[in-house]
Amino acid sequence: MAALQSFLYFATLVAILIPVSAQLTPDFYDKVCPQALPIIRYITKQAILREPRMGASLLRMHFHDCFVNGCDGSVLLDDTANFTGEKTALPNLNSLRGFEVVDQIKSAVNRACYANVVSCADILAVAARDSVNLLGGPAYKVLLGRRDSRTASKNDANTNLPPPFFNFSQLLSNFQSHGLNLTDLVVLSAGHTIGLARCTTFRNRIYNDTNINYNFAASLKIRCPRTGGDNNTNPLDSTTTRFDSQYFRDLLAKKGLLHSDQELFKGDGSGSDPLVKYYGYINPDRFLTDFSASMIKMGNMKPLVGTNGEIRMNCRKVNN
């Protein structure tokens, strides 16, 4: 009984300390639960050590969360009788990964904080940043204080997430619809400097695109035949476990794995060609700076703050 009373007292104190703000801040958990961010980093690191690909998976999950009605953790929700969630949307089905890592993080921070104070949406944002940094990328400040949605939408995920067959104008229009610009499109797409893609996402490119290195396409056809092998994977760039600017140099060599990647560099000086050259050879370090800024900008897309939404006890389902 004494232990329960102590827990309830601490939980009440935490609730009083939680700032109610319409803005995200980097120090949101400093007083409420200072151990939260170190725990997220530790578990993320262990997951990447077990499987380096997991870093890219956690980054992608944050992206897929934010592009569907804002960064609200909706991508994590399982289907219910009231809604069909985002996990079975075409861009996510059998490809979005890392849910068990998020579950592990959520359980750990709930125990360490003695209360349910860290949102699932914030966990995604921090785990994405830590993944990038642990694989050699920048350690940008994550703005925090997001709350979790109480619903999700398969239809919205199908509508809002840019597919790998989009052309340049479609990609730019999609990003602009989310308040992002050309630079954001280029540097956030370069998150593909880590991770793998399935054959189904690049088969059409290697058999039908002309803006592709011949030998590169030939090598990919071995693992990705015209029929079968749908789930065979290939690295998204040639340094797939290191976060760097190699992605851009691959595009310059016409070795972008996805059609949507290569659309960022056509070689005729149009569209985003100058930016790809700039990040690839002229100033690769600037990519890391601009990527940080765009990640912060993306992470600020329509977050639920203050008393909106909730802080889920279990990231897979809304609270009772």
Side-chain angles (χ1 to χ4, degrees):
M1 178 64 71
L4 177 60
Q5 289 176 334
S6 177
F7 176 85
L8 292 174
Y9 171 79
F10 188 84
T12 302
L13 180 62
V14 165
I16 293 171
L17 287 172
I18 293 176
V20 177
S21 171
Q23 286 190 319
L24 305 181
T25 62
D27 59 354
F28 188 85
Y29 295 109
D30 284 5
K31 292 181 180 179
V32 177
C33 187
Q35 56 271 55
L37 268 61
I39 288 172
I40 296 173
R41 184 177 181 86
Y42 175 79
I43 295 176
T44 300
K45 182 177 182 179
Q46 295 306 306
I48 292 173
L49 287 174
R50 289 192 301 270
E51 182 193 12
R53 181 188 179 190
M54 186 55 67
S57 298
L58 292 171
L59 173 60
R60 183 169 181 253
M61 194 183 297
H62 179 46
F63 179 95
H64 281 221
D65 183 39
C66 292
F67 263 58
V68 183
N69 300 319
C71 310
D72 59 4
S74 59
V75 72
L76 300 169
L77 287 171
D78 291 337
D79 295 348
T80 72
N82 298 320
F83 63 81
T84 302
E86 299 163 28
K87 291 181 178 180
T88 56
L90 191 60
N92 298 332
L93 184 63
N94 298 323
S95 68
L96 209 59
R97 313 169 65 251
F99 296 107
E100 71 286 349
V101 177
V102 176
D103 291 340
Q104 186 182 358
I105 292 171
K106 180 61 175 170
S107 295
V109 294
N110 279 1
R111 287 194 303 270
C113 301
Y114 297 99
N116 180 40
V117 296
V118 181
S119 71
C120 302
D122 275 350
I123 288 173
L124 288 180
V126 176
R129 186 277 311 275
D130 289 342
S131 294
V132 167
N133 182 235
L134 289 164
L135 292 172
Y140 56 90
K141 285 279 187 183
V142 179
L143 300 181
L144 302 165
R146 299 169 191 80
R147 289 167 65 85
D148 301 320
S149 69
R150 295 189 178 98
T151 188
S153 170
K154 176 181 179 179
N155 182 64
D156 289 349
N158 280 325
T159 302
N160 287 289
L161 291 167
F165 53 79
F166 262 12
N167 62 32
F168 175 77
S169 62
Q170 290 172 314
L171 290 167
L172 183 58
S173 177
N174 178 278
F175 272 65
Q176 289 174 334
S177 73
H178 294 290
L180 303 173
N181 59 30
L182 176 61
T183 299
D184 299 320
L185 165 62
V186 173
V187 297
L188 292 176
S189 295
H192 287 169
T193 185
I194 53 175
L196 309 174
R198 294 186 302 154
C199 171
T200 53
T201 63
F202 59 84
R203 176 183 283 124
N204 189 63
R205 167 159 168 73
I206 63 176
Y207 287 100
N208 297 311
D209 281 8
T210 57
N211 190 23
I212 188 169
N213 179 281
Y214 176 83
N215 291 330
F216 177 65
S219 67
L220 290 171
K221 290 173 183 177
I222 297 172
R223 288 202 37 84
C224 186
R226 286 187 182 273
T227 57
D230 287 0
N231 292 320
N232 292 347
T233 58
N234 198 79
L236 280 158
D237 86 352
S238 54
T239 57
T240 188
T241 58
R242 187 166 71 247
F243 196 95
D244 56 21
S245 59
Q246 183 61 42
Y247 170 85
F248 299 108
R249 292 186 286 276
D250 286 352
L251 296 186
L252 291 166
K254 297 185 178 181
K255 294 181 179 180
L257 183 63
L258 305 181
H259 176 82
S260 55
D261 286 330
Q262 195 61 56
E263 281 291 294
L264 300 181
F265 184 78
K266 296 184 178 180
D268 58 6
S270 65
S272 54
D273 278 17
L275 278 173
V276 173
K277 289 181 179 178
Y278 181 70
Y279 294 130
Y281 285 112
I282 299 172
N283 194 349
D285 289 341
R286 181 60 185 266
F287 159 57
L288 302 179
T289 302
D290 289 353
F291 178 83
S292 299
S294 290
M295 284 295 290
I296 293 169
K297 185 176 178 181
M298 183 186 77
N300 204 32
M301 284 165 44
K302 296 189 293 185
L304 298 173
V305 293
T307 57
N308 294 315
E310 65 182 15
I311 300 176
R312 285 185 221 131
M313 179 67 73
N314 179 336
C315 290
R316 294 175 182 260
K317 60 184 182 180
V318 299
N319 297 337
N320 293 328

